[in-house]
Amino acid sequence: MTSDLLTPLDLAFWNIESPEHPMHLGALGVFPAGSPAAAARAADLLTARAPGVSGLRMRIRDAWRPPLAVRGPFSFGGAGREPDPAFDPLHHVRLHAPAEDFHARAGRLLERPLDRARPPWEAHVLPGADGASFAVLFKFHHALADGLRALTLAAGVLDPVDMPPPRPRPDPPARARVPGLRRLPDLLRGALTDAGRALDIGAAAALSTLDVRSSPAFTARSSGTRRTAGAVLDLDDVHLVRKTAGGTVNDVLIAVVAGGLRRWLDERGDGSEGVAPRALIPVSTRRPRTAQPPGNRLSGYLTRLPVGDPDPLSRLAAVRSAMDRNKDAGPGRGAGAVALLADHVPALGHRLGGPLVGQAARLWFDVLVTSVPLPSLGLRLGGHPLTEVYPLAPLAPGHALAVAVSTYRGRVHYGLVADARAVPDLDRLARALAEEAETLLTACAS
């Protein structure tokens, strides 16, 4: 067994999974097809390149180790990554029949859990029915990779690009397994600080469930079905709104979600008056351009989306104010940082309590709104440029909708994932996002 143990948060993602709620994230990329054989050629390239990417050969196995074997009790009842000696890329890369609608096919493919006995990832190549394009749907289990790590793994099987190498970090100093007596005061002080932070986060999470007016559109009894949709905005338009109304690009993109949800709720008859759903906005704690071990490095912000506010610029101002407060507090505090509590739960607790924790997600937040960074460099597969890329987030138990967003080469791509039975009109929400962007532009021009 490898010593590459899953982090506590990785282990939480691995153990909260159920057949109705697979915990994989994804990305749907669209490429122009230069010939009818382009999709088959792309599948061959992905199959040939996958063995050369070490992270794609890693499977997840139980790691029942004595508590003092590695880093204390958190290893007991845990799991670790190890190379799969029987790794066969043909089990992971699949060429499908031509698809009329890439999103419709992607939704059905997202319903299927990954094979937990093999490295937990897949790449599905979808030829377009018109022969003018093809798509690739990547699926990575959240225990294998967060968004940044998944991007690195996917880039490893695309055409080579000249990317800046990560800055190496110095090796940490060797640490004894049993601390010396002189270190005990510092360790105790650190433990008390961590415990205090955990209590602060837990209390904030509990308070966040009070006095909430949400909408039944955001919650659902799981059907195990999935639907995806996408919306594309011009990044220049987003910058114009930002420069005129203030805030950051991310503030504008979140405000677009709030306004799009308002339109969607009103048009489907659910009503938006007074609705302020709690949006969980994950925050990566990885240091940019540094070599880090695999695993999730995530915290988060929890913020109310001003869906009930009828004024688009007022909605943007409310989002900006809420995000400023979150940033002032930092990603280590507040209800959104509840993911950090995973570090305070023994591995055996994750294994035994995973299903219960997963079901509690609907009490903590209403909708996930996450940003996945992409490189500005043009990505290609078999010489075909990537023209569209829709990030796809996992859907937590009890939730009907998740929103992910990426900027790539001057365009903003929203990827929407929903329970197909609870949200049969997801395409309408995608259109509402584009309409809200136009509304913000008009409001800024007036």
Side-chain angles (χ1 to χ4, degrees), residues 34-399:
S35 71
R41 171 62 176 158
D44 289 342
L45 285 173
L46 295 175
T47 302
R49 292 170 177 172
V53 181
S54 61
L56 297 180
R57 301 195 307 269
M58 303 298 283
R59 63 180 176 178
I60 295 175
R61 298 291 296 272
D62 289 341
W64 295 91
R65 293 188 171 192
L68 294 180
V70 284
R71 296 193 62 191
F74 294 112
S75 63
F76 188 69
R81 300 179 188 85
E82 66 174 7
D84 184 355
F87 175 70
D88 183 352
L90 291 176
H91 289 295
H92 301 269
V93 180
R94 300 165 192 175
L95 176 64
H96 293 259
E100 294 283 350
D101 183 334
F102 292 142
H103 277 289
R105 183 71 62 83
R108 292 192 293 271
L109 291 171
L110 283 179
E111 296 172 3
R112 307 175 187 174
L114 294 164
D115 186 347
R116 292 166 70 95
R118 302 180 185 276
W121 68 276
E122 292 174 353
H124 298 270
V125 182
L126 313 175
D130 59 2
S133 62
F134 68 91
V136 178
L137 173 68
F138 286 103
K139 295 167 55 177
F140 296 97
H141 199 287
H142 220 326
L144 180 70
D146 59 14
L148 288 173
R149 177 71 175 169
L151 169 63
T152 301
L153 294 175
V157 291
L158 298 179
D159 294 355
V161 294
D162 295 327
M163 299 185 67
R167 292 196 298 261
R169 293 187 305 164
D171 293 332
R175 294 189 297 178
R177 291 183 179 176
V178 180
L181 292 178
R182 285 178 296 182
R183 292 186 56 208
L184 287 178
D186 290 339
L187 291 174
L188 179 60
R189 188 160 41 246
L192 291 174
T193 300
D194 288 346
R197 185 179 296 113
L199 289 172
D200 174 74
I201 294 171
L207 290 173
S208 73
T209 66
L210 303 177
D211 189 28
V212 172
R213 174 138 199 269
S214 185
S215 167
F218 303 123
T219 59
R221 187 179 185 88
S222 176
S223 68
T225 61
R226 293 292 181 271
R227 185 183 301 275
T228 78
V232 182
L233 311 181
D234 191 312
L235 186 57
D236 286 342
D237 291 343
V238 174
H239 280 299
L240 180 59
V241 172
R242 176 188 62 80
K243 292 176 181 177
T244 304
T248 67
V249 166
N250 201 44
D251 293 340
V252 177
L253 298 181
I254 295 172
V256 167
V257 173
L261 289 173
R262 176 183 174 82
R263 291 170 179 270
W264 178 62
L265 290 175
D266 286 343
E267 291 180 7
R268 74 196 319 246
D270 290 337
S272 62
E273 184 178 356
V275 172
R278 298 158 299 174
L280 175 63
I281 302 173
V283 177
S284 174
T285 58
R286 289 181 183 272
R287 290 186 292 176
R289 294 192 59 195
T290 58
Q292 293 219 25
N296 285 275
R297 300 292 187 272
L298 291 173
S299 182
Y301 296 142
L302 194 69
T303 190
R304 297 284 185 88
L305 296 181
V307 171
D309 191 330
D311 186 314
L313 293 181
S314 177
R315 287 195 295 270
L316 175 55
V319 167
R320 178 184 179 185
S321 177
M323 291 301 291
D324 284 346
R325 289 194 299 271
N326 276 315
K327 293 171 187 174
D328 287 343
R333 304 184 70 86
V338 73
L340 299 181
L341 296 181
D343 292 333
H344 299 272
V345 178
L348 189 60
H350 285 294
R351 183 179 295 274
L352 299 177
L356 181 62
V357 171
Q359 293 299 326
R362 64 185 178 84
L363 302 176
W364 167 33
F365 67 96
D366 300 300
V367 60
L368 178 74
V369 182
T370 184
S371 177
V372 182
L374 291 176
S376 59
L377 300 172
L379 300 174
R380 294 175 175 268
L381 178 57
H384 304 284
L386 176 65
T387 56
E388 301 173 46
V389 56
Y390 301 94
L392 303 169
L395 200 59
H399 290 77

Side-chain angles (χ1 to χ4, degrees), residues 10-37:
D10 295 338
L11 195 59
F13 285 131
W14 189 246
N15 286 305
I16 67 175
E17 183 172 63
S18 68
E20 296 79 19
H21 283 278
M23 291 304 298
H24 50 249
L25 48 85
L28 180 66
V30 180
F31 304 81
S35 71

Side-chain angles (χ1 to χ4, degrees), residues 417-441:
V417 178
D419 184 287
R421 292 185 188 172
V423 187
D425 56 344
L426 190 63
D427 289 341
R428 182 66 195 94
L429 175 57
R431 290 194 296 272
L433 294 176
E435 292 165 1
E436 176 62 15
E438 290 294 329
T439 298
L440 272 171
L441 275 172

